[in-house]
Amino acid sequence: MKKSALFAFLILGLGSAFATDEDGWASTYESLSAFQKSPVSKDGSLNPYANRPGYVKPIIDNLGNVLNSNWYVSASVPQSFTFEAGLPISIISIGDDDRNYTENAEFLGQSIAYETPTIFGDHRDMAQADDGRIYGNKTLNGLGLFTYPYIQLGASFYHARVVFRGMFLPSISELRKFNLFGFGLQYSFGHFFQYMLPPAVQPLDVSIVFGYNTSGIGYRPEDYEGELNLDVSTTNFAIVIGYKPVSFIEVMMSLGYQSAEMKSSGHLRGAATIDPGITVEGNNGFRFGLEVAFQLGKSFHPVVGFDYAGKSSFTTNVLYFKQQFGEDKTPDEIAKEKGFVRGAKKAEQTTESSEQSNETPAETNDAQLEETEEVPAVDEVSSEETSTEDSFNEE
């Protein structure tokens, strides 16, 4: 039973299924009570540990960052049909910021801020009196890394790409439900401008990426009836810029926005009643990424990278395969089809300037002279008119 509970903890990041021990680790009741919104349960009982979103926030912080990773494996999406599949993994280090948070409490009409452990935090010093805090979970406190497994499939055609990912586990003891479904979209724009660029810059490409995940997790600890349900949703929108210094290596940078949310629900009945109901936001905001992709042979396409969205994570698509069926036209072939000649306008302007500069001063003066002779002098016209008038007056 304890082995299956440990398995659930590693995947879910929930409260301990063990009872409070002499070292001061949080009990199941304390950890799961943090998900209850009201201090009064539906059966009328009081819950002094209710409504502690900061205590469980590291779960969605880490889970959101992991699920918002690995949506792209290249900034370029081919025109030819392409199929891809793999097991991408994102790994996040659990640091001090995941183990403690600042809690605000009201005392005698004043707000007091104090630091307290999260579900990943440390245990209570048993020499000190119980101060009403919820301390860390013994199992989760020993974790140094956070990850989330899933399978990913994708296909692309005419520079548009769609990606699907998922994972499903059957009920195993305390783990009552575990499923993940996600889909992503990508479109690249390089085919619109690469043929106009100099050869050295033609490997540059730009694309937009969107990804969405939804995950359902159900947990029922030992000695409890009912279930704690967690519904997780994440979104990621990014602009990806990629450049291939050589044909089989691509360096990518992404800039975008991500969001993550965890809603709790359910009902647990044991020594006391727990009614989960809080909603916790993850690291919502700016996201930055750097990745390097390798095309080894025709199919093997591993990717390694670094992401930052409130905290750092590392992505590894070591077992990733991508197969293209057909060959795309090169930028030079596209330019030929469109009748585009790189540098043509500049060459025409240079030729015209050369022709004008090759005219001799003598030719220029002769042309000006001819123009001058064609226009009658104003003085000569005036004198002829005057002479005619004088003759008429004499008569």
Side-chain angles (χ1 to χ4, degrees):
M1 187 65 71
K2 289 186 177 180
K3 289 183 178 179
S4 60
L6 176 59
F7 177 73
F9 298 151
L10 294 175
I11 297 179
L12 305 179
L14 301 179
S16 173
F18 304 108
T20 303
D21 60 21
E22 65 276 6
D23 294 325
W25 296 107
S27 66
T28 302
Y29 174 70
E30 290 173 324
S31 294
L32 297 185
S33 291
F35 290 96
Q36 181 170 310
K37 188 171 184 180
S38 173
V40 181
S41 302
K42 292 180 181 179
D43 64 356
S45 61
L46 294 178
N47 189 332
Y49 303 106
N51 198 21
R52 310 283 180 99
Y55 181 75
V56 296
K57 190 176 186 299
I59 299 173
I60 187 60
D61 283 347
N62 290 285
L63 191 54
N65 283 19
V66 167
L67 293 180
N68 279 318
S69 299
N70 296 314
W71 279 119
Y72 58 90
V73 294
S74 174
S76 299
V77 181
Q79 180 174 330
S80 306
F81 177 75
T82 305
F83 177 79
E84 59 189 72
L87 293 169
I89 298 174
S90 181
I91 300 173
I92 297 180
S93 175
I94 298 176
D96 293 339
D97 56 337
D98 293 312
R99 303 186 187 279
N100 294 282
Y101 75 103
T102 301
E103 182 70 273
N104 294 310
E106 293 289 335
F107 182 73
L108 299 177
Q110 294 184 345
S111 179
I112 300 175
Y114 59 95
E115 190 174 84
T116 187
T118 68
I119 198 168
F120 292 96
D122 206 349
H123 61 85
R124 175 167 69 93
D125 182 359
M126 297 302 287
Q128 302 295 325
D130 188 355
D131 52 11
R133 304 184 191 187
I134 307 178
Y135 285 83
N137 170 269
K138 183 177 182 180
T139 303
L140 294 181
N141 177 260
L143 295 181
L145 300 173
F146 190 99
T147 189
Y148 195 93
Y150 53 83
I151 298 172
Q152 184 163 298
L153 303 174
S156 63
F157 193 51
Y158 270 85
H159 310 289
R161 174 175 173 262
V162 61
V163 186
F164 295 98
R165 60 172 55 162
M167 180 59 71
F168 172 81
L169 292 176
S171 297
I172 306 174
S173 188
E174 286 86 358
L175 181 64
R176 310 306 300 172
K177 177 179 68 175
F178 182 84
N179 58 65
L180 166 71
F181 173 77
F183 73 90
L185 301 172
Q186 181 178 3
Y187 188 84
S188 66
F189 298 91
H191 59 101
F192 288 121
F193 60 81
Q194 286 173 332
Y195 70 93
M196 295 184 288
L197 300 177
V201 193
Q202 286 178 358
L204 177 71
D205 208 338
V206 178
S207 64
I208 56 173
V209 177
F210 170 79
Y212 171 79
N213 293 286
T214 178
S215 179
I217 301 168
Y219 178 66
R220 184 180 66 195
E222 188 178 358
D223 299 329
Y224 275 82
E225 296 180 0
E227 191 170 293
L228 165 68
N229 295 311
L230 297 179
D231 294 315
V232 176
S233 61
T234 71
T235 58
N236 181 20
F237 178 83
I239 297 175
V240 183
I241 302 171
Y243 182 78
K244 295 181 179 180
V246 292
S247 61
F248 58 92
I249 297 177
E250 181 178 10
V251 181
M252 295 170 284
M253 180 183 73
S254 65
L255 299 170
Y257 178 88
Q258 75 162 29
S259 66
E261 183 181 77
M262 179 177 65
K263 294 182 178 180
S264 62
S265 61
H267 182 70
L268 293 163
R269 297 179 302 277
T273 301
I274 303 172
D275 296 307
I278 64 171
T279 297
V280 186
E281 302 289 334
N283 289 323
N284 298 346
F286 172 77
R287 184 179 182 88
F288 168 78
L290 285 174
E291 284 80 23
V292 180
F294 303 88
Q295 185 65 47
L296 305 177
K298 292 185 177 181
S299 301
F300 191 37
H301 191 88
V303 184
V304 294
F306 165 83
D307 293 330
Y308 180 84
K311 60 181 307 184
S312 302
S313 61
F314 299 91
T315 57
T316 56
N317 291 355
V318 177
L319 296 176
Y320 211 82
F321 300 88
K322 179 180 176 183
Q323 180 66 53
Q324 182 174 338
F325 300 90
E327 295 290 336
D328 284 6
K329 295 177 182 177
T330 65
D332 289 337
E333 290 173 340
I334 296 174
K336 187 175 181 180
E337 281 186 358
K338 293 180 176 290
F340 178 82
V341 180
R342 197 175 298 110
K345 290 185 178 180
K346 184 176 180 181
E348 290 177 2
Q349 293 174 356
T350 304
T351 304
E352 291 176 0
S353 301
S354 299
E355 290 176 353
Q356 291 176 2
S357 62
N358 288 335
E359 291 182 357
T360 60
E363 291 174 347
T364 306
N365 292 337
D366 291 343
Q368 292 176 351
L369 221 71
E370 289 175 1
E371 291 179 0
T372 307
E373 289 177 355
E374 289 178 359
V375 180
V378 177
D379 293 341
E380 290 177 4
V381 174
S382 300
S383 62
E384 288 178 1
E385 291 177 353
T386 305
S387 174
T388 306
E389 290 176 358
D390 291 345
S391 301
F392 178 77
N393 291 334
E394 287 177 1
E395 291 177 2

